Amino acid sequence: NTKPESSNLLSDMAYEAMRSAINRSDLKPGDRLSEYKLAEWLKISRTPVREALRRLENEGLVSSHPKRGLIVSSLDESSLQELFAARG
């Protein structure tokens, strides 16, 4: 069964694309993230987008806000240092 594997590959691709877009400021702090629009942009289904967003949220690059949904987090200097320290 290759479905889980292909779903993981799509999720990884979505994660990398969104992470790069955040790093390049194509997705800016405060931008609302719509699963539907991201899936359309990446030309994939919403499930791998949802998985990628969950990973980005766990890293602190995306945060959930009541009534707004998921948005790109704004990271201050200390948050960036914590993020890079956690990765190291």
Side-chain angles (χ1 to χ4, degrees), residues 17-19 21-29 31-33 38 41 72:
M18 286 186 276
R19 194 169 182 282
I22 291 168
N23 287 336
R24 289 190 313 265
S25 294
D26 292 341
L27 294 172
K28 295 174 181 46
D31 283 355
R32 186 177 179 285
L33 300 174
L38 289 167
W41 170 56
V72 177

Side-chain angles (χ1 to χ4, degrees), residues 14-70:
Y15 166 79
E16 292 297 335
M18 286 186 276
R19 194 169 182 282
S20 293
I22 291 168
N23 287 336
R24 289 190 313 265
S25 294
D26 292 341
L27 294 172
K28 295 174 181 46
D31 283 355
R32 186 177 179 285
L33 300 174
S34 159
E35 281 180 19
Y36 176 79
K37 288 181 181 177
L38 289 167
E40 197 174 76
W41 170 56
L42 296 168
K43 297 177 179 28
I44 59 176
S45 69
R46 287 175 33 203
T47 300
V49 169
R50 191 175 306 123
E51 292 167 6
L53 286 169
R54 203 171 297 128
R55 284 175 65 186
L56 291 168
E57 188 174 12
N58 287 338
E59 289 184 6
L61 294 173
V62 170
S63 56
S64 181
H65 291 267
K67 299 182 183 175
R68 287 199 63 203
L70 287 173

